[in-house]
Each structure stands twice: as structure tokens, then as C-alpha cells.
Amino acid sequence: MSPRHIPHAGLVEVGGLRLPFLAEGEPRRLDGSTVVFPAGQVSLLHPFGDTDFYRHGWNSWGPSGWRRLSGPPLRIEGSPERLLTADDARNDTPAAHSGSAVGALASPDRQTTLLLGALGLGAPRVGATTTCLWGTQEVPAGEWLLAVGEESAVFGTYAAAVAERLGHGRNRAGRVWSSWYSQYEDIDEPGLRGLVADLRGYPFDVIQVDDGWERLVGDWQANAKFPSGMAGLGRTITDAGFRAGLWLAPFIALPGADVVRDHPDWWVRDDDGSPLVAGYNWGSPYYCLDTTRPAVRDHLARVFTEAMGWGFTYFKLDFVYAAALAGVRSADVHREQAYRDAVAWIRQVVGDDVYLLGSGVPMLPSAGIFDGVRTGPDVMAFWDNAERPHDPSGVGAKNAMRASLHRRWLRPLYETDPDAVYFRRRRSLLDDTQRQAVQDVATILGFKATSDPIAWLDPSEREELRAWLTADETITQTGRYAYVLDGRPVDLSWVADDAYAPSPSTNAG
Ligand code: 9PG
């Protein structure tokens, strides 16, 4: 856009509202309640005044939910490191309400929702004030959908329009056992063999080995705790009758990794020419591969070809947002396009039938490539995060469930994974109400996973696990946070936002 660029002014009538706008051109009408604006910037005046705004996090861990415009915005505050890791730090608005790709305003009586959502990449941002709903893009890479109507209908219309442009997943995960939420990084070959043996006969489809198997993040070879190599473990899992799944963070590396030492030129750079710090975890900053380099693409192809050779056909790809950060790459391509090209390349390497679960994925640019995506921060066997109680992206069941309840509308694009369910009461601080809520959210989101070792469950918990894994519930939504599951009313308002209802639980704080 040149500095003298003058946007187009007009008035759009949609869903019974008359909205003055500034945009790159006239909107195109799809039907009485939906119009499409050209790529670029768009601003609309709205009549709702001080009302609730839906903001959407950029990646899996970024906060999503409704907030009153006159109150503080929903965002990650007070920690630049967490903001960099869990949301779109570059477009953060500390004093204003905004989120990534899509935003919506509820009329004060909640009868009407006005949604503005991006239909393409370019790091689209949507924000609102009590008079204005605005959308911006770093580059004009896609049109905008404006929809007016009942809340779940407008989100459904938006998700369908994104699916039409960017595609949707095709594989189903089935029921997943993951090592993370019981073993964390403390996994080894004998331990996993024992865990897999105990899982025999349980109705799981996938056993997914999480972080802890690799030599170092960036060096995707088995470490010394896996003396038979990953092929040995892959065989253990498939011989027990399960599909073998593996965690990888393919685009990042810790500074001490061999791949960093051996290939100093492979990394996205910051403006000073140093490797860009792409986030923080494992007590360290980490770097991100410049996926626009042919040598890096060859490297990624080798990593995945090798992992498939070990017998794994389900991959949890983590921290992948790093490939979509702003930085200096060898090719001049917008960061979200660079990301999408990189994950599309992995998809091409592994083929159509491998299940790709994304974690820490930028949500919109992942549509059409991933089969499933994590929709919130890490669930834990406790409700709230005492260390950072005001960080909506912090670990804990409350934040994880809250985030996921606000992302169920993404289901036309991919399977939505709210993270593991806990059946165990041992080694868990969740009370029975919280434990049930975690289970119900997973049922509602349609992704069933746990990490409980069978040995940690008592006979009734084992029965409950089996029953849940085999159930095929009928789910009806009756309110923003209210559902009926097989005839049982489930109102999760107390989980979704403590502004709306007090918790029925004693320590749901
Ligand atoms: C393995 C874990 C598990 C887990 C993933 C991911 O925002 N953060 O700083 C942040 C750090 C770690 C994290 C998520 C977010 O955990 O979600 O399921 O696979 O990696 O290390």
C-alpha cells in the first residue's frame, strides 16, 4: 500500500445491520447474512457499544474467548517470553482487544453475532472497540468474510468458508494414548515396553511416544535410553496391535544441538544477523530452521523418511509455529506462507495416510494440511497454574478446557484435540467435578486421548476408561457452553469463563 492509498468508503447491509465501512473495495454479497471484502484492511462501525468480543489466539496455546470491551483484553501479559511462544507477539495489542484471523462481537442481548474472519494468510488480525470492528493483514493475502447471525451459525459459516479456501484434514486419529501427561520426559525403552504391554487389549488406536526419546531437540535420533533405537520401540507398539505415534518438533533446535553446530547457515535470522530466538522451553531459548532453504527441506525429508522407516505413521508435530515467525529467510515469502509451505512439504514427504497432529500450530495456516490440532495449552493433573495464575496460556486443566471450548467451531477444518483426559485419581489434584469436566470437554471436542498408565488406575477407573473409549456419544449443543451428552445435560459455563457462573466445585478457583 502506498502512503497516499485512499480506502474505499461505503455502507454494507448484512443480516439486518447497516454498517458503514472503509475497505479496499466494495464487498461481494454471498447471501443476506454474509459478504466478502477484498484482501487488505477493513474497518466497520458497529452499533453494539460496550459488548463482548471474541478473540482468537494465533497458535494452539494462544488464548481464545469472550471478553467485555470495557474490561481488559484477553492476552498474555507480563511475559514477553511466553507471548513469543504462545501467541502472535508481533501483532499483540497490549491496550486493545484483538486476536488472530477472526474476531466477533455479540450484541448485548446475545441474539446477534457479527463476525469478521480472514480467508487467507498474511497474519490477519481482528480487533474491536465499542464503535469499530477492524481487520488488518501484514500483507494482503486473503479476503475477509463478514457474517451476521446466530453465534454458532456465523462461526460455522466462517469455518466452512476457510475449509473451502484452505482445505481440511482427512484422517482420523481414533483413540490415543500419549506418554506425556504421566511420564513427561522421563521415558525409556524398558519403561515404555511395560506401559505398552499393560495397554494391550484396551481400545486404543494409537500409542504416541512424546518428548524424551530424542538426543536433543533438533537432533532427531534415539538417545541412550532407547538402546534398540526407535525402530525397536515402533515394533513393540505395532506388535501390540497399535499404531505407533511419535512426537517431533521438526522446525526448532536447542542451541547445543549438533544440527546447529553442523549447519550454522540453516537458521532464521533476526535483524542483527544472529539466529532468531523463536521461543523458550526446556529452560532455554531455541532457534528455527529456515524452511525456505532447499538443504533444510532435504533435511526435513530425511528426518521424516527415517521416522517412518522406524514404523511410525502418526506424528505429533510440536512448536511448529516457530516456522511462521517474522525473521530473515533465504526466500522473500511472507512468514505464514513460509510456514504453510514447510508443513505442506512434510505432508508431501509422509504421504496422505500418515496422521499429522499439530501442537503449537498457527491455527489458520494449518488448515488443509494437518489432520488434527491442539486447541489449547497443556492440560495438567491440576486445575489452575499457581505459578502464573493470570496467564491464560499457562498450563493446567482450567486454561486448557477454556481455550478448547472456544475452539470447537474449528472442527470442519481438522480434528480438535483439547489434550489428555485423566482417569486416575492417584497422582492427580483434580477433584471429581474437574476430572469429569476434562472428560466432557474431550467428548465435546471429539478427540479422545489419555496418558494414564493402566497400573495407575483402580478397577473402576479402568472400567470408566474402557467405557469412554468405546462410547460414541450423541452430542447436542444447547447454549454457548451447554451441551447434552447422551441425554445428560452438561453446562460448562463455570469452566469457560468465571465471569459467567460460579464454579460448582470447591477448589475450582
Ligand atoms: C513436550 C510437550 C508436550 C505438550 C506440548 C508441548 O507455551 N509454552 O511455552 C509451551 C511449552 C511446552 C508445551 C506447550 C507450550 O508443551 O504442548 O503436549 O508434547 O510440548 O515437550
Side-chain angles (χ1 to χ4, degrees), residues 315-395:
F315 294 107
K316 174 177 174 182
L317 305 186
D318 214 346
F319 296 89
V320 286
Y321 77 86
L325 292 177
V328 180
R329 295 181 173 78
S330 77
D332 182 22
V333 47
H334 183 263
R335 59 196 182 97
E336 285 196 342
Q337 190 62 51
Y339 164 80
R340 191 168 167 84
D341 293 345
V343 288
W345 170 240
I346 292 176
R347 168 59 80 194
Q348 193 182 321
V349 168
V350 300
D352 287 345
D353 296 336
V354 161
Y355 193 92
L356 294 181
L357 176 70
S359 172
V361 289
M363 304 303 280
L364 193 71
S366 297
I369 294 160
F370 280 97
D371 298 300
V373 298
R374 268 278 297 286
T375 47
D378 291 13
V379 71
M380 288 287 166
F382 54 78
W383 189 245
D384 214 347
N385 179 341
E387 215 177 302
R388 297 189 49 77
H390 303 298
D391 178 356
S393 73
V395 299

Side-chain angles (χ1 to χ4, degrees), residues 61 82 85-86 180-181 185 210-211 247 280-282 316 318-319 359 374 378 393 419:
W61 308 314
R82 289 217 38 81
T85 308
W180 186 249
Y181 297 96
E185 283 176 53
D210 214 284
D211 191 5
W247 176 95
Y280 297 85
N281 202 36
W282 306 280
K316 174 177 174 182
D318 214 346
F319 296 89
S359 172
R374 268 278 297 286
D378 291 13
S393 73
D419 217 356

Side-chain angles (χ1 to χ4, degrees), residues 379 383 397 401 420-422 430 434-442:
V379 71
W383 189 245
M401 299 306 108
V421 171
Y422 296 92
L430 297 171
Q434 296 161 344
R435 185 178 164 281
Q436 184 68 48
V438 173
Q439 187 180 131
D440 289 339
V441 171

Side-chain angles (χ1 to χ4, degrees), residues 173-194:
R175 298 146 300 180
V176 180
W177 188 90
S178 154
S179 59
W180 186 249
Y181 297 96
S182 57
Q183 316 301 306
Y184 299 99
E185 283 176 53
D186 196 14
I187 49 174
D188 57 28
E189 187 177 316
L192 278 169
R193 277 191 202 282

Side-chain angles (χ1 to χ4, degrees), residues 42 50 70 100 134 148 193 204 210 255 261 295 322 401 425 440 451-452 472 489 503:
V42 53
D50 181 21
S70 54
S100 287
W134 54 261
V148 178
R193 277 191 202 282
F204 286 100
D210 214 284
R261 187 199 57 210
M401 299 306 108
R425 288 182 178 81
D440 289 339
S451 184
D452 292 340
D472 180 17
S503 161

Side-chain angles (χ1 to χ4, degrees), residues 20-39:
F21 70 85
L22 280 179
E24 303 298 324
E26 276 295 318
R28 188 172 82 246
R29 177 167 302 280
L30 295 186
D31 57 46
S33 56
T34 326
V35 297
V36 171
F37 281 96

Side-chain angles (χ1 to χ4, degrees), residues 71-121:
L74 174 59
R75 56 182 285 276
I76 301 167
E77 62 170 282
S79 171
E81 298 190 355
R82 289 217 38 81
L83 181 64
L84 172 62
T85 308
D87 214 340
D88 185 9
R90 195 180 204 222
N91 291 305
D92 181 46
T93 56
H97 291 264
S98 76
S100 287
V102 56
L105 292 163
S107 64
D109 65 5
R110 287 224 199 151
Q111 295 303 301
T112 307
T113 302
L114 175 62
L115 176 147
L116 181 65
L119 298 174
L121 312 184

Side-chain angles (χ1 to χ4, degrees), residues 92-392:
D92 181 46
T93 56
H97 291 264
S98 76
S100 287
V102 56
L105 292 163
S107 64
D109 65 5
R110 287 224 199 151
Q111 295 303 301
T112 307
T113 302
L114 175 62
L115 176 147
L116 181 65
L119 298 174
L121 312 184
R125 191 90 181 169
V126 177
T129 67
T130 54
T131 55
C132 177
L133 178 65
W134 54 261
T136 64
Q137 288 166 298
E138 291 178 354
V139 294
E143 295 179 317
W144 294 96
L145 185 90
L146 180 73
V148 178
E150 188 271 324
E151 184 176 310
S152 59
V154 294
F155 279 93
T157 301
Y158 174 58
V162 174
E164 201 183 298
R165 309 275 173 127
L166 298 180
H168 54 82
R170 55 190 288 274
N171 300 310
R172 295 184 63 90
R175 298 146 300 180
V176 180
W177 188 90
S178 154
S179 59
W180 186 249
Y181 297 96
S182 57
Q183 316 301 306
Y184 299 99
E185 283 176 53
D186 196 14
I187 49 174
D188 57 28
E189 187 177 316
L192 278 169
R193 277 191 202 282
L195 289 160
V196 172
D198 288 352
L199 287 161
R200 263 182 193 269
Y202 278 83
F204 286 100
D205 299 289
V206 180
I207 293 183
Q208 180 248 314
V209 179
D210 214 284
D211 191 5
W213 66 270
E214 74 282 4
R215 292 208 339 240
L216 197 66
V217 169
D219 295 335
W220 304 108
Q221 299 291 336
N223 60 37
K225 297 187 295 173
F226 294 84
S228 320
M230 295 315 282
L233 190 61
R235 215 170 308 118
T236 300
I237 296 170
T238 46
D239 285 352
F242 304 106
R243 181 175 194 178
L246 191 65
W247 176 95
L248 287 142
F251 299 142
I252 64 168
L254 288 167
D258 288 351
V259 70
V260 175
R261 187 199 57 210
D262 295 345
H263 303 285
D265 55 334
W266 276 9
W267 309 92
V268 179
R269 307 255 147 206
D270 63 22
D271 290 337
D272 303 331
S274 317
L276 177 80
V277 171
Y280 297 85
N281 202 36
W282 306 280
S284 168
Y286 48 81
Y287 304 142
C288 182
L289 287 168
D290 175 358
T291 57
T292 66
R293 289 174 179 269
V296 168
R297 290 164 73 97
D298 290 347
H299 162 76
L300 290 168
R302 278 194 301 273
V303 166
F304 281 93
T305 304
E306 185 163 30
M308 289 181 53
W310 297 332
F312 292 87
T313 60
Y314 175 112
F315 294 107
K316 174 177 174 182
L317 305 186
D318 214 346
F319 296 89
V320 286
Y321 77 86
L325 292 177
V328 180
R329 295 181 173 78
S330 77
D332 182 22
V333 47
H334 183 263
R335 59 196 182 97
E336 285 196 342
Q337 190 62 51
Y339 164 80
R340 191 168 167 84
D341 293 345
V343 288
W345 170 240
I346 292 176
R347 168 59 80 194
Q348 193 182 321
V349 168
V350 300
D352 287 345
D353 296 336
V354 161
Y355 193 92
L356 294 181
L357 176 70
S359 172
V361 289
M363 304 303 280
L364 193 71
S366 297
I369 294 160
F370 280 97
D371 298 300
V373 298
R374 268 278 297 286
T375 47
D378 291 13
V379 71
M380 288 287 166
F382 54 78
W383 189 245
D384 214 347
N385 179 341
E387 215 177 302
R388 297 189 49 77
H390 303 298
D391 178 356

